[in-house]
Amino acid sequence: MKRKMINTIVFFCLLIMLFGCASDEERIDVSFEISNDIKVKVTQVAKDYLIKNNCGTSESIQVETASITDHLVNASDGISKPKDIGQVVYKVNFKDKSHVATGLPEVLIKKDNNRVVGFTVGK
């Protein structure tokens, strides 16, 4: 009986080691298609957020350069509510003018309601 219990515990420990080591970021499938309507709405929400927070002007933020990717929210992101940690959101990045030292922040937008949940520092 003890041997069976020990074997079961060892088996579960091995499973945890094999499948638990990959981070959540690696498990996300970032290949996705979004409709043009969603892309336009999400891009506009991100642009409005940046303008509202004095990160750029309507002339400096070029909507046509926006790229949208999936992003797993983590604690190092600048988020407004801790409950958003661990959720997959859209990350909108605008190309900035080349003479600027730091890029525009990347805006994090919730997929289900197009609400801004935070930002990450631009590159």
Side-chain angles (χ1 to χ4, degrees):
M1 182 72 170
K2 287 183 181 182
R3 180 133 175 106
K4 187 175 181 179
M5 193 161 108
I6 291 173
N7 286 340
T8 304
I9 291 171
V10 169
F11 175 73
F12 282 115
C13 288
L14 287 174
L15 282 177
I16 290 170
M17 287 174 51
L18 287 174
F19 296 108
C21 291
S23 70
D24 289 338
E25 185 97 4
E26 294 171 2
R27 293 182 194 164
I28 294 177
D29 180 17
V30 292
S31 60
F32 66 97
E33 289 288 325
I34 58 174
S35 71
N36 217 15
D37 282 345
I38 294 173
K39 183 174 183 174
V40 169
K41 288 177 187 175
V42 168
T43 303
Q44 188 61 45
V45 168
K47 179 180 177 181
D48 292 345
Y49 176 81
L50 292 174
I51 292 171
K52 179 182 171 188
N53 290 292
N54 298 322
C55 295
T57 63
S58 56
E59 293 82 28
S60 68
I61 301 171
Q62 302 166 355
V63 175
E64 62 276 356
T65 65
S67 65
I68 302 172
T69 57
D70 272 353
H71 178 75
L72 179 67
V73 178
N74 59 47
S76 66
D77 296 328
I79 56 170
S80 56
K81 297 180 182 174
K83 71 177 184 173
D84 292 324
I85 294 175
Q87 293 188 8
V88 178
V89 297
Y90 294 128
K91 179 169 70 170
V92 183
N93 180 20
F94 296 98
K95 288 190 180 173
D96 207 357
K97 298 185 187 253
S98 60
H99 64 278
V100 178
T102 60
L104 292 169
E106 299 168 331
V107 182
L108 305 177
I109 299 175
K110 202 167 190 176
K111 289 184 173 189
D112 58 353
N113 61 8
N114 291 339
R115 179 181 61 84
V116 174
V117 296
F119 64 93
T120 61
V121 178
K123 296 173 184 164

